[in-house]
Amino acid sequence: TFMLVLSLSFEKKYHDWRARQARGDKIVFAALWCCIVATSVSWDATSGWLNALCRAVPMGFFAGVTLSLAYGMVHVCRWLAIMVEAFCCDVVRQECPERVAHVWNITQAILRKVSVSVENCLLVLCLILVVTVPLLLVDVGILRTHSAPFPTIIPAISVTCGILYVMLLAAAITEHCAAVPSLVNAICFGEGTEVARQLTVDYIQSSAAGFYVFSMRLTTGMVLKFVYVWCIVVAGLLTRLQSE
């Protein structure tokens, strides 16, 4: 499946663009990992380098595995988004609505297949995020009661930001697909093709293409609601910690 996406992206000459995006993603995730390891070392440096390394090594391993999984998901989401954008660029040059429907059928099938292949990875990242937020509150409690330095909460914040970035990229694929019917409907394929164009637009809309997680279509609204709920939970718990 990945080779199909890769070959389609090469055909559309999007590889250079994706290479630039990949460099930026590598820098971001490498910076997050280095930040986590550096703060882990500096936190326990006062009690000896051995204790600092004992904390930094497992923290670096856990952060490395989590961020590597997140980077792999970012890589897949980037290719899928490019594939949808390549379809949008190609549809402008098409002269037959039926051909557009055929190409979209292949595109949405690839989207669904890739989503099924990586949905477990996204679920694991979501579970890590659910566990990380309470741990972040524990770090905040330690920060208040034991006068620990502020960098103690940086690892949890870094992991949270990396996973949220993945979720937003995955949801952006669905938003890209939702804009395709409007684009096709605005294209003139020639005289006598209005009915075929409308049928194609209806087919694209009814296909409900996007990024799916266990048969659930992931949208930006769902991600924002998830973040909103957890912000309410965090705010409530922080308020209780301050009152105590």
Side-chain angles (χ1 to χ4, degrees):
T1 301
F2 177 75
M3 290 307 297
L4 287 175
V5 179
L6 183 63
S7 62
L8 182 59
S9 299
F10 269 114
E11 181 182 349
K12 303 304 180 181
K13 300 180 181 180
Y14 275 84
H15 182 260
D16 293 338
W17 182 25
R18 177 64 193 107
R20 291 192 296 269
Q21 288 181 336
R23 285 193 293 268
D25 293 334
K26 288 178 182 178
I27 292 174
V28 170
F29 281 91
L32 288 176
W33 185 81
C34 292
C35 183
I36 291 173
V37 174
T39 53
S40 300
V41 173
S42 62
W43 185 22
D44 286 340
T46 56
S47 59
W49 286 106
L50 181 60
N51 292 331
L53 289 176
C54 289
R55 173 176 170 80
V57 170
M59 180 66 73
F61 176 78
F62 170 75
V65 172
T66 303
L67 294 179
S68 297
L69 184 61
Y71 175 75
M73 285 295 303
V74 168
H75 193 67
V76 173
C77 292
R78 292 287 195 188
W79 278 118
L80 293 178
I82 287 177
M83 184 179 65
V84 177
E85 293 172 1
F87 169 83
C88 294
C89 293
D90 182 70
V91 73
V92 179
R93 298 189 293 267
Q94 293 289 340
E95 299 180 355
C96 179
E98 290 80 3
R99 173 63 180 173
V100 173
H102 174 69
V103 176
W104 179 253
N105 186 33
I106 297 175
T107 302
Q108 64 93 16
I110 294 176
L111 287 172
R112 185 64 68 92
K113 178 61 178 178
V114 175
S115 298
V116 172
S117 300
V118 301
E119 61 185 6
N120 290 326
C121 296
L122 187 60
L123 178 62
V124 170
L125 290 176
C126 291
L127 293 177
I128 293 175
L129 180 61
V130 170
V131 174
T132 302
V133 173
L135 293 179
L136 178 60
L137 295 177
V138 173
D139 289 340
V140 172
I142 295 175
L143 187 65
R144 294 179 62 255
T145 56
H146 299 284
S147 300
F150 175 76
T152 56
I153 64 175
I154 290 181
I157 293 177
S158 300
V159 172
T160 301
C161 292
I163 297 176
L164 286 177
Y165 183 58
V166 173
M167 295 176 65
L168 288 173
L169 282 180
I173 298 172
T174 303
E175 304 303 327
H176 279 71
C177 295
V180 173
S182 300
L183 173 65
V184 176
N185 192 49
I187 298 175
C188 180
F189 295 98
E191 296 183 1
T193 59
E194 290 79 8
V195 176
R197 182 184 63 186
Q198 186 59 45
L199 291 175
T200 301
V201 171
D202 293 340
Y203 170 74
I204 294 175
Q205 287 180 334
S206 62
S207 66
F211 193 92
Y212 281 79
V213 181
F214 296 101
S215 300
M216 182 176 61
R217 196 173 183 221
L218 184 63
T219 62
T220 304
M222 294 176 60
V223 176
L224 294 180
K225 289 178 182 178
F226 176 80
V227 174
Y228 177 73
V229 170
W230 271 111
C231 286
I232 293 177
V233 173
V234 170
L237 293 177
L238 286 178
T239 303
R240 184 168 183 177
L241 287 175
Q242 290 179 354
S243 63
E244 294 176 356

